[in-house]
PDB file of all heavy atoms in Angstrom:
ATOM      1  N   ILE A 157       1.880   7.757  -1.641  1.00 75.00           N
ATOM      2  CA  ILE A 157       3.233   8.249  -1.824  1.00 75.00           C
ATOM      3  C   ILE A 157       3.037   9.493  -2.759  1.00 75.00           C
ATOM      4  O   ILE A 157       3.854  10.523  -2.514  1.00 75.00           O
ATOM      5  CB  ILE A 157       4.155   7.251  -2.407  1.00 75.00           C
ATOM      6  CG1 ILE A 157       5.552   7.805  -2.421  1.00 75.00           C
ATOM      7  CG2 ILE A 157       3.798   6.772  -3.802  1.00 75.00           C
ATOM      8  CD1 ILE A 157       6.255   7.974  -1.042  1.00 75.00           C
ATOM      9  N   GLU A 158       2.151   9.481  -3.661  1.00 83.00           N
ATOM     10  CA  GLU A 158       2.125  10.686  -4.523  1.00 83.00           C
ATOM     11  C   GLU A 158       1.637  11.857  -3.745  1.00 83.00           C
ATOM     12  O   GLU A 158       2.074  13.045  -3.984  1.00 83.00           O
ATOM     13  CB  GLU A 158       1.002  10.425  -5.590  1.00 83.00           C
ATOM     14  CG  GLU A 158       1.259   9.253  -6.520  1.00 83.00           C
ATOM     15  CD  GLU A 158       0.595   7.899  -6.022  1.00 83.00           C
ATOM     16  OE1 GLU A 158       0.465   7.701  -4.739  1.00 83.00           O
ATOM     17  OE2 GLU A 158       0.197   7.201  -6.912  1.00 83.00           O
ATOM     18  N   GLY A 159       0.790  11.714  -2.701  1.00 81.00           N
ATOM     19  CA  GLY A 159       0.338  12.747  -1.887  1.00 81.00           C
ATOM     20  C   GLY A 159       1.487  13.339  -1.036  1.00 81.00           C
ATOM     21  O   GLY A 159       1.556  14.504  -0.831  1.00 81.00           O
ATOM     22  N   ALA A 160       2.311  12.387  -0.511  1.00 84.00           N
ATOM     23  CA  ALA A 160       3.510  12.813   0.258  1.00 84.00           C
ATOM     24  C   ALA A 160       4.513  13.689  -0.490  1.00 84.00           C
ATOM     25  O   ALA A 160       5.002  14.686  -0.036  1.00 84.00           O
ATOM     26  CB  ALA A 160       4.154  11.619   0.888  1.00 84.00           C
ATOM     27  N   TYR A 161       4.701  13.242  -1.804  1.00 89.00           N
ATOM     28  CA  TYR A 161       5.570  13.978  -2.707  1.00 89.00           C
ATOM     29  C   TYR A 161       5.080  15.383  -3.005  1.00 89.00           C
ATOM     30  O   TYR A 161       5.772  16.366  -2.946  1.00 89.00           O
ATOM     31  CB  TYR A 161       5.597  13.153  -3.997  1.00 89.00           C
ATOM     32  CG  TYR A 161       6.507  13.832  -5.145  1.00 89.00           C
ATOM     33  CD1 TYR A 161       7.843  13.744  -5.104  1.00 89.00           C
ATOM     34  CD2 TYR A 161       5.818  14.511  -6.133  1.00 89.00           C
ATOM     35  CE1 TYR A 161       8.578  14.439  -6.119  1.00 89.00           C
ATOM     36  CE2 TYR A 161       6.559  15.101  -7.114  1.00 89.00           C
ATOM     37  CZ  TYR A 161       7.912  15.101  -7.084  1.00 89.00           C
ATOM     38  OH  TYR A 161       8.639  15.730  -8.093  1.00 89.00           O
ATOM     39  N   LEU A 162       3.745  15.415  -3.298  1.00 89.00           N
ATOM     40  CA  LEU A 162       3.200  16.729  -3.604  1.00 89.00           C
ATOM     41  C   LEU A 162       3.164  17.590  -2.436  1.00 89.00           C
ATOM     42  O   LEU A 162       3.483  18.846  -2.472  1.00 89.00           O
ATOM     43  CB  LEU A 162       1.719  16.607  -4.154  1.00 89.00           C
ATOM     44  CG  LEU A 162       1.567  15.999  -5.508  1.00 89.00           C
ATOM     45  CD1 LEU A 162       0.102  15.626  -5.823  1.00 89.00           C
ATOM     46  CD2 LEU A 162       2.325  16.759  -6.510  1.00 89.00           C
ATOM     47  N   SER A 163       2.987  17.044  -1.205  1.00 87.00           N
ATOM     48  CA  SER A 163       3.027  17.813   0.043  1.00 87.00           C
ATOM     49  C   SER A 163       4.402  18.233   0.295  1.00 87.00           C
ATOM     50  O   SER A 163       4.676  19.532   0.708  1.00 87.00           O
ATOM     51  CB  SER A 163       2.488  16.959   1.133  1.00 87.00           C
ATOM     52  OG  SER A 163       2.579  17.708   2.335  1.00 87.00           O
ATOM     53  N   GLY A 164       5.434  17.499  -0.010  1.00 90.00           N
ATOM     54  CA  GLY A 164       6.831  17.934   0.118  1.00 90.00           C
ATOM     55  C   GLY A 164       7.197  19.048  -0.763  1.00 90.00           C
ATOM     56  O   GLY A 164       7.899  20.022  -0.414  1.00 90.00           O
ATOM     57  N   ILE A 165       6.697  19.044  -2.072  1.00 92.00           N
ATOM     58  CA  ILE A 165       6.921  20.161  -2.971  1.00 92.00           C
ATOM     59  C   ILE A 165       6.253  21.459  -2.470  1.00 92.00           C
ATOM     60  O   ILE A 165       6.910  22.575  -2.451  1.00 92.00           O
ATOM     61  CB  ILE A 165       6.475  19.799  -4.321  1.00 92.00           C
ATOM     62  CG1 ILE A 165       7.287  18.736  -4.975  1.00 92.00           C
ATOM     63  CG2 ILE A 165       6.386  20.991  -5.264  1.00 92.00           C
ATOM     64  CD1 ILE A 165       6.802  18.126  -6.217  1.00 92.00           C
ATOM     65  N   SER A 166       5.085  21.288  -1.935  1.00 90.00           N
ATOM     66  CA  SER A 166       4.375  22.460  -1.353  1.00 90.00           C
ATOM     67  C   SER A 166       5.172  22.982  -0.197  1.00 90.00           C
ATOM     68  O   SER A 166       5.316  24.225  -0.085  1.00 90.00           O
ATOM     69  CB  SER A 166       2.921  22.091  -0.914  1.00 90.00           C
ATOM     70  OG  SER A 166       2.362  23.077  -0.275  1.00 90.00           O
ATOM     71  N   ALA A 167       5.603  22.126   0.624  1.00 91.00           N
ATOM     72  CA  ALA A 167       6.381  22.578   1.851  1.00 91.00           C
ATOM     73  C   ALA A 167       7.698  23.399   1.438  1.00 91.00           C
ATOM     74  O   ALA A 167       8.062  24.352   1.979  1.00 91.00           O
ATOM     75  CB  ALA A 167       6.713  21.467   2.753  1.00 91.00           C
ATOM     76  N   ALA A 168       8.401  22.754   0.489  1.00 92.00           N
ATOM     77  CA  ALA A 168       9.565  23.395  -0.049  1.00 92.00           C
ATOM     78  C   ALA A 168       9.308  24.796  -0.611  1.00 92.00           C
ATOM     79  O   ALA A 168      10.078  25.763  -0.417  1.00 92.00           O
ATOM     80  CB  ALA A 168      10.278  22.494  -1.132  1.00 92.00           C
ATOM     81  N   SER A 169       8.213  24.935  -1.341  1.00 91.00           N
ATOM     82  CA  SER A 169       7.871  26.268  -1.888  1.00 91.00           C
ATOM     83  C   SER A 169       7.588  27.248  -0.821  1.00 91.00           C
ATOM     84  O   SER A 169       7.960  28.372  -0.942  1.00 91.00           O
ATOM     85  CB  SER A 169       6.569  26.119  -2.752  1.00 91.00           C
ATOM     86  OG  SER A 169       6.885  25.295  -3.900  1.00 91.00           O
ATOM     87  N   GLN A 170       6.965  26.702   0.200  1.00 88.00           N
ATOM     88  CA  GLN A 170       6.722  27.679   1.308  1.00 88.00           C
ATOM     89  C   GLN A 170       8.035  28.114   2.020  1.00 88.00           C
ATOM     90  O   GLN A 170       8.028  29.208   2.462  1.00 88.00           O
ATOM     91  CB  GLN A 170       5.713  27.012   2.294  1.00 88.00           C
ATOM     92  CG  GLN A 170       4.308  26.897   1.746  1.00 88.00           C
ATOM     93  CD  GLN A 170       3.298  26.554   2.768  1.00 88.00           C
ATOM     94  OE1 GLN A 170       3.186  27.152   3.760  1.00 88.00           O
ATOM     95  NE2 GLN A 170       2.528  25.473   2.518  1.00 88.00           N
ATOM     96  N   VAL A 171       8.900  27.135   2.235  1.00 87.00           N
ATOM     97  CA  VAL A 171      10.225  27.504   2.863  1.00 87.00           C
ATOM     98  C   VAL A 171      10.996  28.636   1.949  1.00 87.00           C
ATOM     99  O   VAL A 171      11.443  29.512   2.444  1.00 87.00           O
ATOM    100  CB  VAL A 171      11.026  26.271   3.003  1.00 87.00           C
ATOM    101  CG1 VAL A 171      12.521  26.619   3.374  1.00 87.00           C
ATOM    102  CG2 VAL A 171      10.395  25.334   4.117  1.00 87.00           C
ATOM    103  N   ILE A 172      10.855  28.391   0.695  1.00 86.00           N
ATOM    104  CA  ILE A 172      11.534  29.302  -0.294  1.00 86.00           C
ATOM    105  C   ILE A 172      10.949  30.606  -0.125  1.00 86.00           C
ATOM    106  O   ILE A 172      11.597  31.629  -0.094  1.00 86.00           O
ATOM    107  CB  ILE A 172      11.539  28.704  -1.712  1.00 86.00           C
ATOM    108  CG1 ILE A 172      12.454  27.587  -1.807  1.00 86.00           C
ATOM    109  CG2 ILE A 172      11.912  29.862  -2.691  1.00 86.00           C
ATOM    110  CD1 ILE A 172      12.315  26.716  -3.095  1.00 86.00           C
TER     111      ILE A 172
END
Side-chain angles (χ1 to χ4, degrees):
I157 189 67
E158 302 95 322
Y161 175 81
L162 293 172
S163 181
I165 289 173
S166 170
S169 294
Q170 290 192 54
V171 168
I172 291 167

